[in-house]
Every structure is written in structure tokens, then in C-alpha cells.
Amino acid sequence: MPKISIILPTYNVEPYIERALQSCINQTFKDIEIIVVDDCGNDKSIEIAKDYAKKDERIKIIHNKKNLGTFASRNIGVFNSNADYIMFLDPDDYLELNACEICLINIKDNNLLQFGFKKNENSEIDLIYPKIKDYKEFKKYISYFYFTPWNLCSLMIKRDFFCKKIQNFDYKFVYAEDMLVYISLINEKMIFIKDCLYNYIIHESSISQENNEKYNTYLANLDFTLSMIEKMDLSKNILRYYSHFIKINIYQFLYKSHKISYLKYKFLKKKEKIKKKYYILLFKISKLRRHN
């Protein structure tokens, strides 16, 4: 059995998939399997993957019967994996060649490890990495509404833990699927490292760049995500942080899709921000009381 499964949900990424596969094949840690999930695109992405599979027996290709989207394709890849740990790679991005090795050294007996990533947009590179080290700090700083990226591609996850936490929902996401899964995975045995091991490439054709035509879908996805996290067993400050973040996004899309007026949008957004400031103030007061 391999130690790590790298899962690539694949849909119309012909110009990029070769680079992504090369970044997996050439990992310094070799005991891996590479699972390509064919999500029924109409280009030559899967033909390229098949050519690589002929040369490297670590590559496995799974074919969806119909287009299911990234969320479902990732889950299908996980449930067909055989490794102790899983990682996700979107095939238009690529991994640093020592990503698996560094993650495996650091994860130890934890369920989840989060690492940094390089965001490349218009040839400008931003390094985005966690500024915290463990769950204790995560809970503390999220009370200040400190931003922690929830990109699933910046995680190594214990496979058994993932399977227990994530249900294979029959739901097609376009937006916010990373957030829902990330929140589901939050637990006491999570750690963070500052190494930037993932290269996130933003293209003009990315979903995030097409939202003028997809506001209704985005709203439905956000509403579903909010309803799901409100059922989770989360600490109050973590639930508050993510629920307010989602609500602000909902208000933005409601306004952009002309479902609410500008004045109501500003009022609702301000209301959520006031709540954030109130919670931050409460946290600071309680902290002062503990030290006095």
C-alpha cells in the first residue's frame, strides 16, 4: 500500500495537466499513488493522463459516469485511494517536488497538516502561509477573525479521518466547497507549517473570474454551506467566524444579482461587521479578566 494518495479532479485542463502530473511523478518521496478522476470533460486531458499511466504504474484513472464537479470528484478519489494520507492537486496547479516528503515528516500523529502556497496571478507571486502552529492557536486567533486560508490543496489529511468526517454528498458545488470541507476537518489534532509547497495558478477562465454569470449558483452553494456548518459540533467562536463570513458573501451576491437594494446590502453587511467587532471586544475583555 502507498503512503500518500494525490488526487486530481480533472476537467478540461489539457494545457496544464502534464505539468501537474510531472510534479507528482517527480516527488522526492516515491511511495505514492496518483489518482486522476475523469470528470467528463471534452478535451484531451484524460488522454494525456492515460499516456502517463502507461509509463508509471502509480497513476490510476477513475472515470465518472457524468460531470459531477470538483467536490464530488475529490470524494470519489478519496474513497478509491489506498494510502494512509491524502493530498489534493487541481490539475492546472502544481506541487513543489518535496511537498510529500516535508508533509510526511511533519504530520506525525496528527489528523491534518496545513502548509503554505504560492499564489501566482498575472506573474505576481504572493506567499500565503499559516502564521499559527496548532489548534490551540487556531481557536485563539480566529476569535480576532484572523484569516486562515481553507484551500484543501494546502493540506495533508489522514485518509481514515477524512472518510469519517466527510459524507459523499450528492451535491454539485461551483463555489465554497473548500470552505465546507475545511470546516468539517477542524479538530484538535491539526498542525500548521510555513513551507510553501503548492503553486496556485489563477487563470482568466477560473471559476472565480466568471461570477457575473453564476450568482444564483453561488448563492445556493453558500446557503447550503451555511446550513451544513450550523449543524456541526464546532466551538462558538469558530462557528461565528465562518457563519458571518458566509453571510457577508451571501449579501454581496444578493446585491450583485439585484435581489436586494444597495441600502439593504450596506445595512446587512454593516450588521455582520458590527457582530464581528462585538465578539472581538468580548474576547479582549475576557482575556483581561483572566490576567487580573
Side-chain angles (χ1 to χ4, degrees):
M1 282 177 50
K3 198 71 178 174
I4 301 168
S5 294
I6 306 175
I7 295 159
L8 293 79
T10 301
Y11 178 80
N12 288 353
V13 286
E14 183 181 342
Y16 316 108
I17 190 168
E18 188 167 359
R19 179 181 60 188
L21 289 170
Q22 288 279 7
S23 77
C24 297
I25 291 165
N26 295 317
Q27 285 292 306
T28 54
F29 182 81
K30 301 298 183 185
D31 188 14
I32 65 174
E33 67 176 356
I34 303 158
I35 300 179
V36 176
V37 183
D38 172 15
D39 200 25
C40 305
N42 53 19
D43 68 358
K44 295 181 179 179
S45 300
I46 299 304
E47 297 305 315
I48 294 170
K50 286 178 179 178
D51 287 341
Y52 272 90
K54 292 174 184 176
K55 303 170 189 174
D56 194 323
E57 61 183 12
R58 296 176 299 172
I59 299 175
K60 180 195 298 184
I61 300 176
I62 298 170
H63 301 279
N64 292 344
K65 293 181 180 179
K66 61 179 181 178
N67 177 255
L68 299 173
T70 302
F71 179 76
S73 295
R74 281 177 178 159
N75 287 348
I76 289 167
V78 171
F79 292 117
N80 283 276
S81 65
N82 298 296
D84 296 328
Y85 299 97
I86 55 171
M87 298 174 72
F88 297 109
L89 172 61
D90 290 341
D92 51 350
D93 302 329
Y94 62 99
L95 292 167
E96 291 295 313
L97 298 184
N98 58 353
C100 292
E101 182 178 4
I102 290 176
C103 289
L104 199 58
I105 289 169
N106 285 280
I107 196 166
K108 298 178 181 176
D109 63 342
N110 292 286
N111 293 321
L112 176 72
L113 177 143
Q114 183 163 9
F115 49 87
F117 60 93
K118 300 172 188 176
K119 185 168 116 177
N120 188 320
E121 184 173 12
N122 298 325
S123 299
E124 294 183 7
I125 297 176
D126 292 327
L127 301 181
I128 301 171
Y129 57 88
K131 298 179 177 66
I132 52 180
K133 63 181 181 181
D134 54 26
Y135 177 72
K136 185 178 180 181
E137 289 191 0
F138 178 84
K139 281 184 67 179
K140 175 183 176 182
Y141 287 107
I142 208 165
S143 298
Y144 289 104
F145 295 90
Y146 164 81
F147 174 69
T148 300
W150 45 70
N151 308 64
L152 295 188
C153 291
S154 63
L155 304 177
M156 173 179 273
I157 314 158
K158 191 176 286 185
R159 181 190 178 278
D160 290 347
F161 173 75
F162 184 95
C163 291
K164 286 177 185 176
K165 287 287 184 179
I166 304 300
Q167 298 180 49
N168 198 6
F169 299 114
D170 186 17
Y171 189 87
K172 188 172 181 179
F173 276 96
V174 172
Y175 186 80
E177 71 269 21
D178 275 27
M179 185 190 298
L180 176 59
V181 178
Y182 183 87
I183 297 169
S184 304
L185 295 173
I186 293 170
N187 73 103
E188 294 181 358
K189 297 183 71 174
M190 60 191 295
I191 60 167
F192 304 82
I193 61 174
K194 293 183 178 181
D195 303 71
C196 290
L197 304 174
Y198 189 94
N199 294 277
Y200 173 45
I201 313 298
I202 298 178
H203 308 285
E204 290 184 3
S205 60
S206 297
I207 286 172
S208 58
Q209 305 298 318
E210 299 174 354
N211 50 25
N212 285 335
E213 303 174 4
K214 298 188 176 182
Y215 292 137
N216 288 338
T217 305
Y218 290 2
L219 281 165
N221 290 174
L222 286 166
D223 186 58
F224 178 80
T225 300
L226 183 61
S227 69
M228 292 304 301
I229 70 166
E230 286 176 343
K231 299 173 186 176
M232 294 178 188
D233 183 20
L234 299 168
S235 68
K236 289 183 179 179
N237 55 334
I238 291 174
L239 177 59
R240 285 168 181 161
Y241 172 79
Y242 287 112
S243 62
H244 290 322
F245 183 90
I246 293 170
K247 286 176 184 176
I248 288 173
N249 273 264
I250 288 173
Y251 302 152
Q252 288 172 337
F253 287 128
L254 281 170
Y255 171 63
K256 288 176 181 178
S257 59
H258 308 292
K259 294 187 185 303
I260 58 173
S261 68
Y262 176 74
L263 289 175
K264 189 171 183 182
Y265 160 66
K266 295 294 286 186
F267 169 76
L268 290 169
K269 191 173 180 183
K270 184 179 180 182
K271 182 180 175 184
E272 294 302 327
K273 286 186 175 178
I274 289 170
K275 285 184 180 180
K276 286 187 179 183
K277 290 178 182 178
Y278 172 70
Y279 292 130
I280 292 169
L281 180 62
L282 281 182
F283 180 81
K284 288 180 177 178
I285 291 170
S286 64
K287 191 175 180 182
L288 283 171
R289 285 176 178 168
R290 287 198 299 271
H291 287 289
N292 294 329

